[in-house]
Amino acid sequence: MAKRTPKHGTRKTLIGSISVFLVIIFAGFLLVTNMRVNRMTTVSSDAAELVENRVKQADRLQQEVNELSAQVGALSAQEDSRKSTASENAGSSTMLPAVEGPGITVTLNDSSMWQSVADTAGSSVDWDKYVVHQQDVESVVNALWAGGAESMEVMGQRLLPTSAVICSGNVLLLQGKKYSPPFTISAIGPPALMKYALDNSQAVQIYKQYVGAFGLGYEVKDEERLEFAGTPLLLQPLQYARVDE
């Protein structure tokens, strides 16, 4: 007589095998997921440490550059044996040397008349007529250079060959810093010639018309002695265009 195997036993064995197989797949999935998470955490940690090290290295190199620039500037100043007043010429140095001498200071300021006008006109006021603009500062700077200015500062910052005066609203941006009015432009040079250049500048004459009509500020002051400190010739690294490969 043949031995019979119960069907229920076969079904239980098949279900058990499938269950074990599913458990193995699920365990493998958890293992792979855990490895991925650990790998991402390690990479993220390594990237943060790498960035921090790069920043520290860049700061250290920048400090060395500043120290070397100061040394080169000091040696160049000794070699040139400059006197009391000097033109804006750095020669082969990476520093503009300190200079001093007579000159003038020009101050430009926003108008306070807009407050009384706003009370009567409200939102219809043309605000641009009551504030100093970029072209106003540039007009004074250009006139002073034309009048023989040998060195110049705007808001206490030395003007460099790469300097750009930019205004955003009534805020002046110069070499990474922001300034609010009044704006001061000081120049070392022949005071009489520089004032003559200001008086004969067409752009400055237009600004003076707004001074009379809308109350903008304009003041020219003689300076017996101005002193400008030595300044690195390059406050920001130069960037060059590259050809796409």
Side-chain angles (χ1 to χ4, degrees):
M1 184 174 179
K3 186 176 180 181
R4 298 179 62 185
T5 302
K7 292 183 180 181
H8 292 290
T10 303
R11 182 179 300 175
K12 290 181 179 180
T13 301
L14 179 60
I15 293 175
S17 300
I18 293 175
S19 300
V20 172
F21 180 71
L22 292 176
V23 169
I24 293 175
I25 292 178
F26 182 70
F29 174 77
L30 291 178
L31 178 62
V32 172
T33 302
N34 188 40
M35 291 176 63
R36 288 182 177 178
V37 171
N38 291 336
R39 183 183 304 174
M40 292 176 62
T41 303
T42 301
V43 171
S44 176
S45 177
D46 291 344
E49 184 178 358
L50 179 61
V51 170
E52 183 178 358
N53 291 335
R54 292 292 187 184
V55 170
K56 292 181 179 179
Q57 183 179 8
D59 292 341
R60 184 171 61 255
L61 292 175
Q62 184 61 51
Q63 183 178 359
E64 293 178 1
V65 169
N66 293 339
E67 293 175 354
L68 292 174
S69 296
Q71 294 177 13
V72 172
L75 293 174
S76 298
Q78 294 176 4
E79 182 178 347
D80 295 339
S81 299
R82 302 182 64 90
K83 296 184 179 180
S84 60
T85 304
S87 63
E88 205 70 8
N89 180 15
S92 59
S93 172
T94 57
M95 292 282 294
L96 286 179
V99 293
E100 60 182 38
I104 63 175
T105 295
V106 181
T107 303
L108 308 179
N109 200 3
D110 291 349
S111 171
S112 59
M113 290 176 57
W114 65 268
Q115 297 177 351
S116 58
V117 176
D119 292 339
T120 58
S123 60
S124 63
V125 176
D126 187 357
W127 305 106
D128 287 343
K129 297 178 180 179
Y130 298 90
V131 298
V132 178
H133 293 281
Q134 177 177 327
Q135 63 267 24
D136 303 324
V137 179
E138 291 176 340
S139 298
V140 172
V141 170
N142 292 335
L144 292 175
W145 286 128
E150 300 169 352
S151 186
M152 200 178 307
E153 282 187 349
V154 175
M155 301 301 289
Q157 281 209 67
R158 191 83 166 267
L159 281 188
L160 310 177
T162 55
S163 297
V165 178
I166 301 174
C167 285
S168 177
N170 67 336
V171 177
L172 185 146
L173 308 177
L174 178 62
Q175 294 164 180
K177 296 183 178 181
K178 297 181 180 180
Y179 302 96
S180 298
F183 303 132
T184 59
I185 304 102
S186 299
I188 293 177
L193 293 178
M194 290 190 292
K195 288 191 290 186
Y196 178 82
L198 287 171
D199 292 338
N200 288 272
S201 167
Q202 183 177 1
V204 175
Q205 290 176 3
I206 294 175
Y207 178 81
K208 289 182 178 180
Q209 294 176 7
Y210 280 78
V211 172
F214 301 100
L216 291 173
Y218 179 77
E219 180 184 2
V220 179
K221 179 183 177 183
D222 287 329
E223 303 284 2
E224 293 184 1
R225 182 185 180 87
L226 289 171
E227 296 181 5
F228 298 163
T231 306
L233 187 57
L234 296 178
L235 296 181
Q236 296 179 347
L238 294 177
Q239 298 181 352
Y240 302 91
R242 297 181 180 180
V243 179
D244 294 335
E245 297 180 357

